[in-house]
Amino acid sequence: MIPFSLLLLLAGALVLLVGPANALSGYQISCGATSSKVAGNVTWVPDGAFISGGKAAELGSPGVMPMLATLRYFPDASAAKHCYVVPAAMHARYLVRTTYYYGGFDGGRAPPVFDQIIDGTRWSAVDTARDYARGLATYYEAVVAAAGRELSVCVARSDATAPGRSPFISALEVVPLEESVYSPVDFAAYALSTVARHSFGHDDGSVIGYPGDRFNRYWEPYSGGSIPVVESHASVSTEAFWNKPPEEVFRRGLTTSRGKSLDIQWPPAPLPPASYYLALYFQDNRAPSALSWRVFDVAVNGQPFFAGLNVSTAGSMVYGAQWPLSGQTRITLTPAQDSPVGPLINAAELMMVVPLGGRTHPRDVIGMEALARGFLNPPSDWRGDPCLPKGNSWTGVTCNEDPLARVIAINITNFGVGGSISDHIANLTAVSSIWLVGNNLTGSIPDMSPLHHLIALHLEDNGLTGPLPESLGNLSKLEELSVENNNLQGTIPSSIKNRAMVDTRFRFKYTPGNNLS
């Protein structure tokens, strides 16, 4: 599913409506940076704590906003994906924004095309060529719930990535949202991908962001062309709104005179067929009185969306959680026959509803992440979801296609991996084949008694020490056990000796090397 790309202007062209400085929660990461940077009221931190691998590049583009002056790119074409991993609260909701400004870092004329991934879901393609040709950066935004205690945001090569080109990223933001924000959406099954978010009636190029919007959502200006603009100075308590819009979006709006309908084409670009989350915001700009009421119906592409909306100075919001849209979209506000004034609209949000791409079984995630932590120099893509999305599992890792994906094989032969084998390998209860041959692994062989589906275990040509676990001989499906050329000591367990004598399928190799008897 490909969301619309949105524009983030460069320094000198971007005007954010900001107020007194506050501390924005979450993570604002400047990719490729080596020190913190400040832009507006936001402090951007370097990315070293969130990513392993890739190369940093410093752009020579003058006038670029501080967080876009560097980027990180990923020339390793053997890696299935390259993931930033950010701490998260389990099941909490986050706004994720990725920003891309090419800057010709690799000497090319146009930016490369590639995919971006959140956890196990392929979020969208990244194609910034059109924006870059206009001197602009591009950002993409999603709202997701964290399945675990970490959230991974990845870039990956796709069929559209030209040979020799590298995915890159300029900035990453992960901002926690309150529980009420976009609450009608089932985030256990879906994510939201932002298509448009506009504040109507603004034509000065100003973008409402943080701290006007506490979650640093960007509300871009939308003039409405020839549609009359109305201003309001009435205060709006945005705490009463689920989505907590900034008060500034209610300062202006689009309206018509009494008895006339208000018809706007929004968003400006046609939409691909999908379900969308659509939220519309309204406020009556007049002082309260017995006659100051404003009532109208709301329709989207001619279909009733909300009937008899009575808008006051306190403001109103109407929404559709899964509204089907396709092509050009029109919003029509039709006044009630006895309404003393015409309809009015202040702001709108439109987000594509994206089905999640699945999940890897939590016990396998725990097991694989522990393996990765125990290894020195694991494959560079051993971050993020081990199995998903399909086609982007970790190097050397094979998974099934169950609704909760399971790891069924690991093969990192001759990868130069050091460190030790984590005890949490026992979590991988669906695995049938483990090949860790020809690396620099040390330490002991952990207990693998829960691995009842294990058929082949190859640990030869490493530096493993200690005894052979008795439990290996009790794995009824195990047919291949190879541990030669290690530094194992002690007595070969009777369970393994007996299997080797009576089970013709069982092949046990422990020499040369080792000190086993």
Side-chain angles (χ1 to χ4, degrees):
M1 200 85 57
I2 301 176
F4 281 58
S5 63
L6 304 175
L7 303 184
L8 178 64
L9 306 184
L10 304 184
L14 174 65
V15 180
L16 286 175
L17 297 183
V18 297
N22 292 291
L24 177 62
S25 60
Y27 298 89
Q28 293 77 44
I29 301 168
S30 180
C31 303
T34 56
S35 60
S36 296
K37 305 175 181 181
V38 177
N41 292 324
V42 179
T43 299
W44 296 78
V45 300
D47 64 350
F50 308 97
I51 186 78
S52 63
K55 295 183 178 181
E58 187 168 347
L59 304 182
S61 305
V64 174
M65 297 178 72
M67 72 282 198
L68 303 181
T70 61
L71 57 79
R72 186 170 293 276
Y73 67 100
F74 303 93
D76 181 4
S78 67
K81 55 190 172 187
H82 309 274
C83 297
Y84 282 80
V85 177
V86 177
M90 188 176 293
H91 306 312
R93 200 167 303 156
Y94 293 88
L95 179 142
V96 176
R97 183 158 55 228
T98 54
T99 305
Y100 302 92
Y101 181 65
Y102 172 55
F105 74 90
D106 59 358
R109 293 185 177 181
V113 178
F114 49 91
D115 284 347
Q116 56 184 353
I117 295 164
I118 297 181
D119 284 345
T121 298
R122 197 179 310 280
W123 172 13
S124 74
V126 175
D127 186 350
T128 65
R130 183 177 178 182
D131 291 345
Y132 181 67
R134 299 163 59 199
L136 302 172
T138 306
Y139 74 78
Y140 298 78
E141 186 185 281
V143 175
V144 298
R149 301 190 185 281
E150 294 179 331
L151 193 66
S152 65
V153 183
C154 318
V155 293
R157 283 172 171 77
S158 68
D159 291 341
T161 307
R165 305 303 302 279
S166 299
F168 71 96
I169 183 169
S170 302
L172 169 64
E173 298 165 77
V174 179
V175 180
L177 300 176
E178 295 178 9
E179 288 187 6
S180 70
V181 180
Y182 312 120
S183 58
V185 177
D186 178 9
F187 284 99
Y190 300 98
L192 296 178
S193 184
T194 302
V195 173
R197 183 182 294 112
H198 283 99
S199 178
F200 295 128
H202 292 270
D203 58 3
D204 57 0
S206 59
V207 177
I208 300 172
Y210 177 80
D213 188 297
R214 71 179 72 177
F215 309 119
N216 200 19
R217 293 168 297 187
Y218 294 155
W219 299 75
E220 298 189 347
Y222 190 89
S223 67
S226 60
I227 301 175
V229 174
V230 64
E231 294 191 12
S232 173
H233 301 286
S235 178
V236 175
S237 174
T238 59
E239 289 299 319
F241 291 80
W242 289 355
N243 291 348
K244 305 293 190 292
E247 186 173 359
E248 186 64 33
V249 303
F250 295 98
R251 297 299 185 201
R252 291 188 178 187
L254 302 178
T255 190
T256 59
S257 57
R258 179 178 179 177
K260 292 185 177 181
S261 295
L262 174 60
D263 189 74
I264 60 173
Q265 179 178 296
W266 183 89
L271 303 172
S275 293
Y276 293 84
Y277 178 96
L278 173 61
L280 307 175
Y281 301 88
F282 314 88
Q283 185 216 14
D284 192 341
N285 65 310
R286 301 166 302 148
S289 73
L291 296 177
S292 63
W293 50 280
R294 192 186 294 264
V295 179
F296 50 87
D297 295 338
V298 182
V300 177
N301 290 339
Q303 299 298 314
F305 192 76
F306 196 95
L309 180 64
N310 190 344
V311 176
S312 69
T313 55
S316 300
M317 181 190 87
V318 297
Y319 73 92
Q322 291 206 26
W323 195 263
L325 294 174
S326 176
Q328 204 68 64
T329 301
R330 302 197 73 85
I331 298 173
T332 304
L333 311 180
T334 304
Q337 287 187 351
D338 55 350
S339 182
V341 289
L344 176 150
I345 186 169
N346 297 90
E349 293 181 273
L350 185 66
M351 310 171 89
M352 183 183 290
V353 180
V354 180
L356 297 182
R359 291 179 56 198
T360 298
H361 198 293
R363 71 178 300 140
D364 284 20
V365 172
I366 293 170
M368 292 304 301
E369 288 180 346
L371 270 184
R373 286 192 300 270
F375 289 163
L376 299 176
N377 191 38
S380 62
D381 57 8
W382 276 40
R383 292 173 68 86
D385 192 291
C387 293
L388 298 170
K390 185 179 179 181
N392 293 95
S393 61
W394 291 2
T395 293
V397 176
T398 303
C399 305
N400 64 19
E401 297 185 15
D402 289 352
L404 277 179
R406 301 300 308 270
V407 175
I408 58 175
I410 302 172
N411 187 343
I412 50 171
T413 296
N414 296 325
F415 265 81
V417 173
S420 59
I421 305 173
S422 169
D423 292 342
H424 285 90
I425 196 171
N427 276 39
L428 309 178
T429 52
V431 73
S432 62
S433 175
I434 299 174
W435 288 67
L436 305 179
V437 178
N439 290 294
N440 302 307
L441 298 173
T442 59
S444 59
I445 300 174
D447 176 35
M448 300 186 193
S449 54
L451 306 187
H452 299 298
H453 295 280
L454 189 62
I455 296 173
L457 177 60
H458 286 261
L459 304 175
E460 62 263 36
D461 302 327
N462 281 287
L464 299 170
T465 57
L468 271 175
E470 176 83 30
S471 58
L472 291 178
N474 296 324
L475 296 175
S476 60
K477 293 187 177 181
L478 189 64
E479 297 179 1
E480 302 175 20
L481 175 57
S482 297
V483 296
E484 63 267 33
N485 292 319
N486 279 284
N487 298 312
L488 302 173
Q489 307 93 29
T491 303
I492 298 173
S494 59
S495 61
I496 295 177
K497 285 184 177 179
N498 293 339
R499 283 283 301 278
M501 288 189 294
V502 301
D503 189 344
T504 57
R505 300 172 304 161
F506 184 68
R507 297 184 294 277
F508 172 46
K509 297 181 180 180
Y510 65 95
T511 58
N514 300 311
N515 187 19
L516 296 170
S517 60

